[in-house]
């Protein structure tokens, strides 16, 4: 806990100074990195640590976002309570989905979560009076103190949520729950024989992952200012899964890389399209094409993701440095100096006596 809190405070200080020096638009992008980091961290726990493949993370984000928007529209609750409610609503749905999901594995589980991502948007479109239909529901960012602009204030809120989520998940993975997650992933039968309740462990991972997605969805609704079905397409769930793989499955630090790619790849693709005067049809799919190319390259160069590749390079460099340090400089040899004997000295007489024996 102390180490995780120390790293978190250090990261918070760096991000505070970074966001203070950036423009409002760049602060907006940093906030988006933070919210995608929350969703990816929960997905990494579910898929990378516990071994359950999910394609429904975008659906859980939609539940959190709509919960936040409904509370803002119809109530006057505190902002923190609205965030907790968004997390709770998504976690409850994760519990409902996680219980039957304990009997499914591999592509069957992925298909079930994919069905969830496909089924939720039509529900919002059917009840237009409640969920706003295509127009959606509006959200309002809490009033910033002093002269802080709204983009920077929202970025700080999202960064605080992301760092708090990482601390909680890091400590959870270091506890007996994390060991149970990994044991179920590696071998369910062996974990059951060791006393681990397999079904309960799977459901717990699903609930925690869904809660993280709910918080990320609430932040996404605040960033866009409106919550509608267009913000949570099926491609969002697929991109989250791909970004998790690129960053490093099962690594919380690796999720930073995945979140950065999710935010900045569309920006880079737009600039590239404008530079080469590509058509609107190509520009619309250019980000997905680049993301797929990055995924292929990373899997070929570093099968464990960007973070795994960096860890491997660091390990090789550390071992090489240790070997070079242990060898040290080669010892220098000095030829012995011989002094010519002096006639009549004691050394000369000693040599003469020894030779004569």
């Amino acid at each position: 806990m102390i180490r995780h809190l120390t790293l978190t405070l250090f990261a918070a200080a760096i991000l505070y100074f970074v966001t203070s020096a950036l423009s409002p638009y760049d602060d907006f992008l940093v906030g988006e990195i933070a919210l995608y980091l929350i969703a990816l961290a929960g997905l990494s726990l579910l898929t990378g640590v516990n071994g359950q493949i999910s394609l429904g993370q975008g659906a859980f984000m939609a539940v959190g976002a709509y919960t936040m928007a409904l509370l803002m529209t119809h109530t006057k609750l505190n902002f923190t309570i609205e965030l907790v409610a968004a997390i709770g609503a998504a976690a409850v749905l994760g519990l409902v989905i996680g219980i039957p999901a304990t009997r499914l594995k591999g592509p069957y589980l992925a298909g079930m979560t994919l069905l969830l991502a496909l089924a939720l948007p039509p529900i919002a479109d059917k009840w237009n009076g409640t969920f706003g239909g295509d127009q959606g529901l509006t959200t309002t960012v809490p009033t910033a103190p002093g002269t802080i602009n709204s983009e920077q204030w929202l970025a700080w809120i999202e960064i605080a949520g992301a760092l708090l989520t990482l601390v909680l998940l890091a400590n959870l993975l270091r506890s007996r729950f994390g060991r149970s997650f990994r044991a179920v992933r590696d071998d369910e039968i062996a974990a059951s024989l060791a006393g681990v309740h397999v079904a309960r462990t799977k459901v717990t991972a699903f609930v925690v992952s869904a809660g993280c997605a709910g918080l990320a969805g609430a932040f996404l609704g605040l960033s866009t200012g409106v919550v509608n079905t267009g913000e949570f397409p099926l491609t969002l769930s697929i991109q989250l899964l791909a970004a998790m793989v690129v960053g490093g499955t099962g690594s919380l630090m690796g999720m930073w890389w995945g979140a950065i790619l999710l935010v900045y790849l569309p920006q880079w693709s737009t600039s590239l399209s404008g530079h080469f005067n590509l058509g609107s049809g190509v520009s619309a799919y250019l980000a997905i094409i680049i993301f797929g190319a990055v995924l292929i390259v990373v899997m070929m160069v570093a099968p464990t993701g960007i973070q795994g590749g960096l860890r491997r390079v660091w390990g090789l460099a550390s071992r090489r440095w240790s070997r070079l340090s242990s060898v040290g400089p080669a010892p220098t040899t000095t030829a012995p100096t011989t002094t010519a004997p002096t006639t009549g000295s004691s050394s000369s007489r000693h040599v003469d006596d020894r030779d004569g024996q």
Side-chain angles (χ1 to χ4, degrees):
M1 174 66 77
I2 295 176
R3 182 182 63 180
H4 292 156
L5 287 177
T6 303
L7 292 175
T8 300
L9 292 176
F10 180 71
I14 293 177
L15 290 173
Y16 170 78
F17 288 111
V18 168
T19 52
S20 300
L22 294 177
S23 65
Y25 179 70
D26 290 328
D27 285 337
F28 171 79
L29 294 180
V30 172
E32 283 204 328
I33 291 175
L35 71 89
Y36 282 125
L37 173 63
I38 298 172
L40 288 174
L43 184 60
S44 179
L45 182 145
L46 178 66
T47 302
V49 180
N50 192 231
Q52 300 186 79
I53 302 176
S54 175
L55 290 173
Q57 200 75 349
F60 294 117
M61 291 179 65
V63 171
Y66 272 104
T67 302
M68 166 72 76
L70 287 171
L71 291 177
M72 283 187 171
T73 303
H74 302 289
T75 66
K76 300 296 183 181
L77 295 176
N78 183 270
F79 175 68
T80 304
I81 298 177
E82 293 171 346
L83 285 180
V84 172
I87 298 172
V92 169
L93 180 61
L95 177 63
V96 174
I97 300 299
I99 291 175
T102 58
R103 299 181 178 273
L104 301 175
K105 296 181 181 179
Y108 303 102
L109 177 59
M112 177 183 176
T113 54
L114 178 65
L115 181 62
L116 175 67
L118 292 172
L120 274 183
I123 295 177
D125 292 334
K126 184 175 181 180
W127 284 284
N128 295 338
T130 303
F131 298 104
D134 294 335
Q135 301 299 322
L137 301 173
T138 58
T139 58
T140 305
V141 179
T143 304
T147 59
I148 302 174
N149 60 70
S150 59
E151 290 82 6
Q152 189 179 53
W153 177 239
L154 179 58
W156 287 353
I157 294 175
E158 292 168 339
I159 289 171
L163 294 179
L164 179 60
T165 301
L166 289 181
V167 169
L168 294 177
L169 291 182
N171 284 279
L172 180 67
L173 295 179
R174 290 286 183 177
S175 67
R176 63 182 181 89
F177 292 102
R179 293 189 291 272
S180 298
F181 292 155
R182 286 185 284 269
V184 171
R185 176 199 62 189
D186 295 337
D187 195 325
E188 293 185 9
I189 297 177
S192 178
L193 294 175
V196 177
H197 197 296
V198 176
R200 186 185 304 162
T201 302
K202 286 186 173 182
V203 173
T204 302
F206 235 106
V207 170
V208 173
S209 177
C212 293
L215 178 60
F219 284 151
L220 182 59
L222 290 174
S223 296
T224 57
V226 62
V227 177
N228 55 32
T229 56
E231 297 293 331
F232 308 96
L234 176 61
T235 54
L236 175 60
S237 299
I238 298 175
Q239 288 175 347
L240 287 172
L241 185 63
M244 180 203 65
V245 174
V246 171
T249 305
S251 170
L252 293 179
M253 290 299 297
M255 297 306 99
W256 284 98
W257 302 110
I260 291 172
L261 287 176
L262 279 178
V263 172
Y264 280 102
L265 266 182
Q267 308 294 324
W268 298 334
S269 64
T270 302
S271 300
L272 187 65
S273 176
H275 180 73
F276 290 100
N277 295 322
L278 301 177
S280 59
V282 176
S283 178
Y285 296 98
L286 186 59
I288 300 177
I289 295 172
I290 296 177
F291 196 89
V294 170
L295 178 62
I296 294 173
V297 171
V298 170
M299 288 299 97
M300 293 178 63
V301 177
T304 54
I306 295 177
Q307 186 65 24
L310 292 176
R311 191 182 299 114
R312 182 180 179 184
V313 171
W314 175 258
L316 292 175
S318 299
R319 288 193 294 269
R320 183 173 179 82
W321 177 259
S322 299
R323 285 196 298 266
L324 292 176
S325 300
S326 61
V327 172
T332 57
T333 58
T334 305
T337 58
T338 305
T339 305
T342 305
T343 305
S345 64
S346 59
S347 60
S348 175
R349 288 195 301 269
H350 178 72
V351 172
D352 294 339
D353 294 340
R354 186 183 61 187
D355 291 342
Q357 289 178 352

